[in-house]
Amino acid sequence: DYKSAIAPLNKIVTNKNAASLHPQGYLKLGVAYFNLDNNQEALNSFKTLISSFPNSSESDAAVEYVRDIFVAQQKPGDYVAFMKANGKEVSYTEADSLTYASAQARYENNDLQNAQNGFKDYLNKFPNGRYSIDANYKIAEIFNGRKDYQNAMIGYAYVASKAPNKYAEKSVLQAARINFFELKNYEDAEIYFIQLK
C-alpha cells in the first residue's frame, strides 16, 4: 500500500534522530512515489538520496529508478548530467544506449514526432554511435510515412551506404522506389536497383 507508506516514510526522513534510517527512508519513499506514477516526487526523493548518501547501497539501488524516469521523460542528457554532478560517472556506451532507448520508447508508442526529435538528438550526440543505422532507418521511415521523400532519402541513403546491415535491403528498395516513382531521379534509382539486385 504505497499511498499509506508515504506519510510514515516522510516522518522518518525528516526525523534528525533517525539519521541512520534516512537512506532506506528516501529509497522506499522514492519507490512508493514511483509505483504511484508520481515520477517527479520519486525523482526528488532519489536525487536527495544520491546527493546526500552517494556511497550507500540504497543510492546504488536508486540509480536504476532515476535512469528509468529520465529515459521515460526522454531526458537522457539530464540523467548523465545529474549522475556526473553527484560523482557517478556514466560511460559513453551507457549514454549512447540510454539516448537511443529514450527515442525508441517513443517510436514504439507511436509518438512519432517526439521519436523523430529523439533520434535526431541521438544522431547529433552520437553520429557514429552503436545505433546510428537504426536511428537513421527509423527517421527515414517516419519521413516516408509523411510522404516527405527528400528527408526520407537522407536516412535510407545512409543505411544503404552501410550495407550489409539488418535494414540495408529495405532501405535500398525504398531508396530505389522513391527515386524512381516519387522524385523521378532515374539515375539514382538505377544505382539503387543495381545495389538491390
Side-chain angles (χ1 to χ4, degrees):
D1 186 4
Y2 297 111
K3 195 171 187 177
S4 299
I6 290 173
L9 287 169
N10 272 321
K11 287 182 183 178
I12 290 171
V13 298
T14 56
N15 185 341
K16 289 184 177 30
N17 296 327
S20 64
L21 297 175
H22 285 182
Q24 288 179 34
Y26 280 116
L27 177 62
K28 291 182 182 202
L29 189 59
V31 170
Y33 282 124
F34 182 83
N35 286 310
L36 291 170
D37 289 326
N38 188 341
N39 286 343
Q40 193 52 52
E41 286 301 320
L43 201 53
N44 292 339
S45 295
F46 293 137
K47 282 180 176 181
T48 302
L49 170 61
I50 292 169
S51 60
S52 301
F53 308 97
N55 299 321
S56 68
S57 60
E58 291 84 0
S59 175
D60 293 337
V63 168
E64 261 186 68
Y65 288 102
V66 172
R67 182 185 312 119
D68 290 346
I69 292 169
F70 277 119
V71 167
Q73 294 176 347
Q74 204 169 4
K75 296 179 179 177
D78 291 357
Y79 166 74
V80 172
F82 171 74
M83 296 309 285
K84 284 183 181 176
N86 288 290
K88 295 189 181 282
E89 282 301 313
V90 176
S91 70
Y92 177 87
T93 306
E94 184 181 8
D96 177 315
S97 295
L98 289 174
T99 305
Y100 178 78
S102 177
Q104 179 63 20
R106 301 290 175 152
Y107 186 79
E108 289 171 358
N109 289 329
N110 211 25
D111 182 1
L112 298 182
Q113 185 58 52
N114 284 322
Q116 177 185 333
N117 294 338
F119 289 132
K120 282 183 177 179
D121 181 52
Y122 172 80
L123 291 170
N124 287 334
K125 291 179 180 169
F126 306 97
N128 297 310
R130 180 177 180 189
Y131 301 100
S132 61
I133 290 172
D134 300 69
N136 273 288
Y137 177 75
K138 288 173 181 167
I139 286 175
E141 287 285 284
I142 292 169
F143 280 124
N144 193 27
R146 294 181 184 149
K147 299 185 184 335
D148 183 347
Y149 300 116
Q150 292 287 353
N151 283 316
M153 273 305 303
I154 296 168
Y156 289 136
Y158 176 85
V159 176
S161 73
K162 300 293 183 182
N165 62 66
K166 64 184 175 182
Y167 300 113
E169 186 176 344
K170 292 177 189 173
S171 294
V172 173
L173 178 60
Q174 287 289 42
R177 187 193 65 75
I178 289 170
N179 274 301
F180 189 83
F181 293 108
E182 307 300 339
L183 303 178
K184 311 292 187 212
N185 186 344
Y186 302 117
E187 289 177 15
D188 285 352
E190 181 182 17
I191 292 168
Y192 286 113
F193 280 125
I194 290 168
Q195 183 182 356
L196 181 64
K197 185 179 175 185

